[in-house]
Amino acid sequence: MVTHFELPAHVTAEQLIASVSEQSSLHLVSKHPVLKTYYDSFDWRLYRHDIICEFSQSTQASILQLSHRKTSELIASTTLIEVPSFSTQFSADKMRQILEPVLEMRALRAICHVECLVYQFDIVNNDEKTVLRIQIEEFERFNHRLSLFPIKGYDKVAGRIVEVIAEQLKLCAIDRPLLLDILKSQSRHPKDYSSKLDIPLSPDMRADIASKLIFSNLLHMLKVNESGTIANIDTEFLHDFRVAVRRTRVGLSQVKNTLPDDIVVRFKEFFSWLGQITSETRDLDVYLLNFEYYKKQVPVDLRASLDLLHELLAAKQRQAQKQLAKHLRSARYSTLLAAWEAYLGSTPNNKPTQVDAKLTIKALADLRIWKVYKRVIKEGEAIDQHTPPEALHRLRKTCKKLRYLMEFFQHLYAERRITSLIKQLKRLQDVLGDYQDYATQQQKLMHFSQEMQVSNAPDKTIMAMALLIEDFDKRKNKIRDHFTWQFSAFKKPENHTVFHALFATHHS
Amino acid sequence: MKVLALYSIKGGVGKTAGAVNLAFNAAQAGYRTLVWDLDPQAASSYYFRIKPKIKGGSKNLIAGKHELDVLIKGTDFDNLDLIPVDFSFRNVDLLLDDQKKPTKQIKKRLKPLADSYDFIFLDCPPSISLLSEAIFEAADVLLSPIIPSTLSLRTLVQLKEFIDDHALTHAQLLPFFSMVDSRKKMHKDIMQQVLADYPATLKTTIPCASDIERMGVERMPLGAYSKSRSARAYAELWQEILMRLA
Ligand SMILES: Nc1ncnc2c1ncn2[C@@H]1O[C@H](COP(=O)(O)OP(=O)(O)OP(=O)(O)O)[C@@H](O)[C@H]1O
Ligand SMILES: [Mg+2]
């Protein structure tokens, strides 16, 4: 049975009611104005999981409902005064169970809202028993909507009623959430943000023009995450802000000889500064995000003693965040960012001075990716059980460069082949990243531990931290074995053949 | 899922009123609740305005031809469903007797509903029969209304004896006082004596009240049309039962 309909533009709620009451008796249960607000994370995680999150407020009640994007089926519902920012703040079990794995660390934010007049009706039989519940929502700027809520054991009666009114009033079944209508009316789209790169390059674009396009994309990503970073809405704004910074830095150093030297020097310095001023906050964010996991690594009776460490980290994070926000509000930041934006927007020089500026972007991309790929292989092959950690660290950075280059230029290559290579590179990067994480976390933790000993923290806390440090060490060493395995998987001949075929074009 | 049977050997003591109103209180608190009308008089079906009709008849129901689920009707209240009964159910003992293990049948029918409901209330007919034995097997709790009179005291004793004789130990017997007139000294005296003889008796009492009688006119649970002292009494009784269950 269809349960959600759209009324034709000219049909009002009153008309619908009149038409229904011709054949069935109905009771008006309520009629009241409702404010509906839609929520999602900045990167649309709920929408991507086909969940619509709607908060309806009226003088009677405020209810948060999760429903399926395509079927409108209700998934969970709870009464709330206010929508919490994070999934962990929900007290209703079911709601939390659904939201936690989807949202993770991301905050819920209001996306858009709409006012409507909601009529609720019961259709009753001769015994005055309700056999079907009806809801009509009247909007000012959208077609009205009719929703039916069948009652168990009365589907047949309900089906008959629905058939008649749908036919009589030419109602259309609807499977499109209202959210989409609202967004459309505001010229917005769902999923309008993703941290994935998608730069529409074409192979014979001039290299300097293409690189400006890449940097403009990265600048956009940086700017949309700026206010969320300053306000510390959730940790992902800073994370994505930093990704944009790092990608820009790799672009400036790796997409060589296309932009004028003075520009490259000036903005390399600016983006390196941005990397610095954001790193401490991010490090602390990572600790706090991982804290529950840390706790689980020590014996149960020591867990509570780690709360002191949590306090210390949280205090440091607040401090670092404050500094970071100050930097992002500074004149230095805004002036240089505006200058960068102005440069990227300026018309390209017809006679570029740089040697590679007039290459096609495809030729340049081939050259750069092939070169960095060979470096990855060379550096990786030099690593064995006895190589110092610095070598792994260096390889991690080279891999990152390769990854960013491949992502910048993704559109220039056969999609299936390049995404498969990226996926395999990612696996290698994950191992290297974990190694690095454990190494720095171990080091930092030792540092914090010294700091806390000076301030006379209890022995138990220091002991728990020592256990954690030891645990990191063990994990770090285990990862070296993983690395050997992952690296040989990455450099297997099949991959090499594809790398060669895609990028070594200038050699053949 | 907990199964609570409103049971008494005697008729007209407040079993149906108890089943309907306690179920209503459970549902209002958010528990997924079902009432199963097992009395061919179909009083609880009537109170919820649900037609007294067993889809496919009693025979198919007892033979387990289809899942109990297809017989369930949603009431007008959130979280509250009901399985109606009809007059064919008057022969239920004969139908049960045709089954292999007659006294296991109610429990068996209820089993598939375990994940769908938190509480199932059985509104039982007044008698001791094969059906009552099947109900004793299925129930976690026997809620037995007692009108404070010398006669009903004897009924409680009979019920206890019956349960003990049949070793129906797993069901908890929780009597409660129904239709209590607090002005009558005799009621007070008898209640005191029952509480002394049988301390498991629930402390909350349901008064004799005209608005409870009016349920037959309103055709809905008391709490849906009244906020009176008697409505509160059912709410308190439900709280006390919940505590005993914990
Ligand atoms: N507390 C009460 N005060 C006044 N009247 C009551 C009370 N409880 C029930 N009644 C009325 O007494 C009559 C019998 O009550 P009820 O149907 O609940 O008893 P029962 O035990 O289910 O009866 P039966 O054995 O016939 O199924 C009904 O008319 C009902 O409205
Ligand atoms: Mg009855």
Side-chain angles (χ1 to χ4, degrees), chain B residues 128-189:
Chain B
I128 284 198
S129 60
L130 205 48
L131 175 65
S132 0
E133 284 182 55
I135 287 165
F136 294 163
E137 293 264 5
D140 298 294
V141 179
L142 294 179
L143 292 168
S144 194
I146 309 170
I147 303 173
S149 72
T150 32
L151 214 65
S152 56
L153 234 171
R154 258 193 51 218
T155 322
L156 179 59
V157 173
Q158 275 174 357
L159 177 58
K160 264 212 61 126
E161 275 172 13
F162 184 83
I163 290 177
D164 292 344
D165 287 354
H166 288 72
L168 298 162
T169 42
H170 84 278
Q172 197 180 351
L173 174 62
L174 297 181
F176 67 94
F177 295 111
S178 171
M179 305 191 198
V180 173
D181 188 343
S182 55
R183 289 164 309 183
K184 287 190 183 146
K185 181 164 185 308
M186 190 196 66
H187 274 199
K188 277 189 190 161
D189 293 346

Side-chain angles (χ1 to χ4, degrees), chain A residues 122 124-131 133 151-154, chain B residues 48-51 69 72-77 81 117 219:
Chain A
D122 288 347
V124 298
N125 64 14
N126 293 339
D127 291 320
E128 296 278 309
K129 163 83 181 78
T130 306
V131 293
R133 296 190 197 280
I151 289 172
K152 193 171 167 68
Y154 292 91
Chain B
F48 284 110
R49 303 163 189 263
I50 291 170
K51 291 205 167 61
D69 187 69
I72 298 177
K73 298 280 181 185
T75 70
D76 290 2
F77 308 95
D81 295 340
Y117 294 99
R219 295 186 72 181

